[in-house]
Amino acid sequence: MSFIQQAPDLVLNKSSDTYLLETLEEFRCAIDHMAPQAKRHIKIFSQELDHDFYDRPEFMDALGPLFKKRRGFSVSVILKDPNKASKMGHRLVELQKRLPTRCEIRSLPREYGDMTDEYMIVDDQGMVKRFALGNMRGHCEFRAVPDAVKYGRQFDEIWGRSMPCTELRRLSL
């Protein structure tokens, strides 16, 4: 059975298999089935905030109910290169404008500039990881302990050293 067929049955912090992702459709499926299960937060580390992953109605429609139903729910994004999102626009940038205390995008500090992975962590329990920008290879785990915790700590460390992404804030003027 393919990952896309199995994804609707996967439960955050319960389904323990690792699934290899090799197509855009598989990545989208993983993101679209994991994100709505969030209770506290979604952390995204991205090279350029890929439009094919996060600038889609399916992903944004999953976030809306989370902000409404889950008090304190937040989305945190660390972005290496804001140029593409700045030039083309992005739904997460618009969300940041509407909910600045619950959705924030920050710039990757220079000392972390050699990082090439991309990932989404949900509640420090589930994780979708792409090995490099432009490469459609990665994996997802709906119960990714200890990796989600390890990457979550790394994300928090980088977040603490990062600054708000000024290139994207200019769009709101």
Side-chain angles (χ1 to χ4, degrees):
M1 186 183 300
S2 76
F3 169 73
I4 291 174
Q5 293 170 316
Q6 294 179 52
D9 297 326
L10 299 176
V11 178
L12 186 66
N13 202 31
K14 291 198 177 12
S15 303
S16 59
D17 290 338
T18 299
Y19 298 92
L20 181 63
L21 306 175
E22 297 182 296
T23 67
L24 177 59
E25 291 76 26
E26 289 174 334
F27 275 99
R28 285 178 172 175
C29 184
I31 289 167
D32 293 347
H33 283 88
M34 190 179 294
Q37 297 184 50
K39 290 182 174 51
R40 295 175 286 128
H41 58 261
I42 294 177
K43 299 173 182 176
I44 298 171
F45 179 85
S46 180
Q47 301 296 312
E48 60 181 29
L49 206 52
D50 196 322
H51 284 74
D52 289 333
F53 287 8
Y54 305 112
D55 193 27
R56 300 176 302 108
E58 297 85 356
F59 178 69
M60 297 307 293
D61 289 348
L63 294 181
L66 297 174
F67 284 109
K68 290 176 185 168
K69 294 178 185 174
R70 305 217 191 301
R71 185 180 173 134
F73 173 78
S74 64
V75 174
S76 304
V77 180
I78 297 175
L79 182 57
K80 185 173 183 178
D81 181 7
N83 289 330
K84 188 174 179 183
S86 178
K87 288 177 186 168
M88 296 176 65
H90 202 288
R91 287 177 175 94
L92 278 175
V93 174
E94 295 304 316
L95 182 64
Q96 176 186 244
K97 290 177 196 175
R98 290 194 328 267
L99 300 169
T101 60
R102 298 181 69 191
C103 179
E104 188 173 354
I105 301 173
R106 293 191 178 182
S107 295
L108 181 70
R110 289 184 189 183
E111 62 263 29
Y112 298 97
D114 60 343
M115 295 179 67
T116 59
D117 290 343
E118 296 194 348
Y119 53 83
M120 177 185 80
I121 301 170
V122 176
D123 292 342
D124 290 333
Q125 298 172 344
M127 184 169 163
V128 177
K129 182 176 179 184
R130 178 163 70 162
F131 299 130
L133 177 66
N135 182 357
M136 283 300 151
R137 285 191 49 83
H139 64 84
C140 78
E141 296 177 77
F142 279 71
R143 187 173 192 282
V145 179
D147 282 349
V149 173
K150 179 180 113 179
Y151 278 90
R153 284 186 187 137
Q154 176 192 54
F155 184 96
D156 293 342
E157 175 188 322
I158 296 168
W159 185 263
R161 295 175 182 211
S162 64
M163 300 297 291
C165 194
T166 56
E167 293 86 350
L168 299 178
R169 291 202 172 199
R170 279 189 237 133
L171 293 175
S172 63
L173 298 176

